[in-house]
């Protein structure tokens, strides 16, 4: 007569299956970047002068990237990759890089430059008030 598995064995198996499911979900693609692209409340990003004219600045902690194509004109996008939801890790030559799977985005318009992402970064409203950038 066989005995049922020990409680610890069952719990360990459930934990492993749950972790495996999380890993699959994290790499599943889909609309990962769109779920929470716009902050729920306005977010103060700092001085507008921190964003170079013709360049961009990554606000990784806020999951946002802001560019200034022309003096005084700001564009803001979610910094969450639309492939799997990873946050961009750097911006070089106005290209945002996703460290997870290598997607690259044009941070002046949000468009995909290199996949696996196929959807652009969602635009987020941004304004300059009193020399400070406010997103959301």
């Amino acid at each position: 007569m066989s005995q049922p598995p020990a409680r610890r064995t069952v719990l360990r198996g459930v934990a492993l299956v749950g972790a495996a499911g999380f890993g699959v979900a994290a790499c599943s693609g889909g609309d990962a970047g769109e779920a929470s692209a716009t902050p729920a409340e306005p977010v103060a990003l700092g001085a507008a002068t921190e964003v170079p004219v013709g360049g961009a600045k990554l606000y990784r902690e806020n999951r946002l990237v802001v560019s200034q194509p022309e003096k005084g004109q700001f564009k803001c996008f979610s910094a969450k990759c639309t492939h799997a939801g990873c946050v961009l890790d750097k911006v070089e030559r106005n290209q945002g890089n996703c460290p997870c799977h290598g997607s690259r985005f044009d941070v002046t318009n949000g468009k995909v430059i290199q996949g696996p992402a196929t959807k652009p970064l969602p635009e987020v409203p941004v304004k300059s008030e009193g020399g400070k950038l406010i997103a959301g």
Side-chain angles (χ1 to χ4, degrees), residues 17-50:
V17 168
F22 175 77
V24 170
C27 292
S28 65
D31 296 333
E34 294 177 25
S36 60
T38 302
E41 297 180 15
V43 177
L45 298 176
T49 56
E50 293 177 359

Side-chain angles (χ1 to χ4, degrees), residues 64-86:
L64 298 170
V65 61
V66 177
S67 64
Q68 185 176 191
E70 294 182 29
K71 186 168 179 64
Q73 292 182 349
F74 297 95
K75 304 256 329 180
C76 182
F77 297 92
S78 168
K80 284 179 64 180
C81 179
T82 56
H83 171 247
C86 296

Side-chain angles (χ1 to χ4, degrees), residues 1-116:
M1 182 169 204
S2 67
Q3 290 188 326
R7 181 173 187 260
R8 182 176 297 183
T9 303
V10 171
L11 291 175
R12 188 178 309 141
V14 168
L16 288 173
V17 168
F22 175 77
V24 170
C27 292
S28 65
D31 296 333
E34 294 177 25
S36 60
T38 302
E41 297 180 15
V43 177
L45 298 176
T49 56
E50 293 177 359
V51 180
V53 176
K57 179 174 176 166
L58 177 64
Y59 295 89
R60 192 162 171 34
E61 64 282 353
N62 299 110
R63 298 180 177 158
L64 298 170
V65 61
V66 177
S67 64
Q68 185 176 191
E70 294 182 29
K71 186 168 179 64
Q73 292 182 349
F74 297 95
K75 304 256 329 180
C76 182
F77 297 92
S78 168
K80 284 179 64 180
C81 179
T82 56
H83 171 247
C86 296
V87 179
L88 304 180
D89 68 343
K90 61 185 171 184
V91 173
E92 295 176 338
R93 296 183 306 271
N94 288 333
Q95 292 184 17
N97 179 69
C98 177
C100 295
H101 301 107
S103 291
R104 296 185 70 75
F105 298 89
D106 181 328
V107 297
T108 65
N109 59 26
K111 292 182 181 177
V112 176
I113 295 171
Q114 173 182 309

